[in-house]
Amino acid sequence: MGYDLKLRVWRGDKSGGELGDYTVEVSEGEVVLDAIHRLQATQAGDLAVRWNCKAGKCGSCSAEINGRPRLLCMTRLSDFDPAETITVTPMRAFPVIRDLVTDVSFNYEKAEQVPAFAPPPRDPDGKRRMMQVDVERGQEFRKCIECFLCQDTCHVVRDHDENKKSFAGPRFFLRYAELDMHPLDTHDRRALAQEAAGVGMCNITKCCTEVCPEGIHITDNAIIPLKERVADRKYDPLVWLGNKIGIR
Ligand code: SF4
Ligand code: F3S
Ligand code: FES
């Protein structure tokens, strides 16, 4: 059964913009991205929106729906009252390019700062070995689709652009944690996680975990263990002594 959906969509670019009101015909079972596409096709041909898979897997269609960071393609219209106006705005933590499209290059800059996986030489038979439990621990982190909704929602950068220089954000704490827990990685990332990535600025509000469309337990399984590892290093008596006499 179809009905008329009231949509309010942010239109504009980096110089400014405003919310535009539209009425779009939608059908039962559709998602917010369907309504946006119909709006584009029938009334606003120049509306900019980024998307690719329409299956919750590419991480492109991130935006804010009624102020909450969400994937447009995975948010069902049936989650809302048909009489309700649905407001769609671009991710607030990143600069707007146009309409719903933001410039997420902050995230790529932070990704570049994470040193690549550095395995030791192979065993004499040419293989590398690790325990199954370690393989499984990393699997959860590898589900990340880089939608950056966690980055968008984290209060450390959401309203504080000035923190972006010293804070990598939850998506990259996930990456640091994954690599630091990897038994075959030879790089000690704890100093970097603390100093360049600023894991200490996270005060465990868990908002990142709440919005992750992949259901990754970012705070409990990555950030808290990473903080513990960083603290172990910081309070290790040998590291402390090394810092005092300037050899580490
Ligand atoms: Fe998106 Fe979750 Fe990855 Fe963050 S951790 S970028 S919310 S999939
Ligand atoms: Fe931000 Fe997540 Fe920490 S929302 S403050 S990184 S728990
Ligand atoms: Fe790919 Fe939404 S279009 S995640």
Side-chain angles (χ1 to χ4, degrees):
M1 208 182 69
Y3 64 97
D4 284 341
L5 172 74
K6 289 196 279 302
L7 256 188
R8 188 166 287 165
V9 181
W10 195 86
R11 306 295 313 271
D13 56 26
K14 61 180 179 208
S15 60
E18 58 184 4
L19 291 167
D21 282 303
Y22 305 92
T23 303
V24 180
E25 207 181 307
V26 293
S27 306
E28 213 176 318
E30 288 190 321
V31 293
V32 175
L33 187 60
D34 290 313
I36 293 286
H37 280 162
R38 194 151 310 118
L39 173 62
Q40 239 183 0
T42 58
Q43 304 168 50
D46 62 341
L47 172 67
V49 58
R50 196 182 269 136
W51 70 285
N52 263 292
C53 67
K54 205 167 175 273
K57 286 295 159 221
C58 73
S60 304
C61 67
S62 303
E64 301 194 4
I65 302 175
N66 292 350
R68 187 181 161 84
R70 299 183 77 161
L71 294 178
L72 296 175
C73 74
M74 296 304 283
T75 307
R76 297 198 162 277
L77 293 176
S78 56
D79 291 350
F80 305 88
D81 187 320
E84 189 182 338
T85 299
I86 298 181
T87 303
V88 186
T89 47
M91 285 193 284
R92 190 162 105 193
F94 309 119
V96 167
I97 297 176
R98 194 156 67 84
D99 302 335
L100 300 177
V101 176
T102 51
D103 175 359
V104 292
S105 48
F106 159 73
N107 300 288
Y108 304 130
E109 284 155 23
K110 295 297 171 183
E112 268 186 340
Q113 291 168 8
V114 187
F117 175 59
R122 291 178 188 276
D123 294 342
D125 61 2
K127 294 184 178 167
R128 290 197 177 96
R129 291 174 172 80
M130 58 193 277
M131 303 284 284
Q132 186 60 27
V133 65
D134 291 320
V135 174
E136 281 157 17
R137 189 186 301 115
Q139 289 305 319
E140 179 188 15
F141 304 154
R142 298 182 77 85
K143 288 194 313 188
C144 174
I145 58 171
E146 298 218 301
C147 63
F148 305 131
L149 290 174
C150 57
Q151 304 283 91
D152 179 47
T153 205
C154 177
H155 70 99
V156 177
V157 288
R158 186 167 170 85
D159 291 310
H160 299 280
D161 233 43
E162 70 279 9
N163 285 340
K164 283 185 176 164
K165 222 164 50 190
S166 38
F167 187 74
R171 190 279 168 263
F172 298 101
F173 298 147
L174 199 69
R175 182 76 180 133
Y176 277 102
E178 179 196 345
L179 290 167
D180 208 58
M181 290 177 195
H182 198 301
L184 294 181
D185 183 51
T186 56
H187 200 108
D188 186 350
R189 296 156 197 279
R190 293 175 297 174
L192 255 183
Q194 183 187 9
E195 287 145 27
V199 71
M201 292 166 80
C202 158
N203 53 356
I204 324 217
T205 56
K206 299 198 180 187
C207 312
C208 51
T209 302
E210 277 172 30
V211 299
C212 177
E214 284 295 312
I216 303 170
H217 296 95
I218 307 171
T219 322
D220 288 349
N221 291 351
I223 297 179
I224 293 173
L226 187 63
K227 278 175 172 285
E228 286 168 354
R229 283 168 177 257
V230 165
D232 280 353
R233 176 186 181 276
K234 198 168 164 194
Y235 298 110
D236 178 334
L238 284 178
V239 172
W240 179 84
L241 187 65
N243 283 338
K244 280 277 167 214
I245 58 176
I247 57 167
R248 290 175 75 117

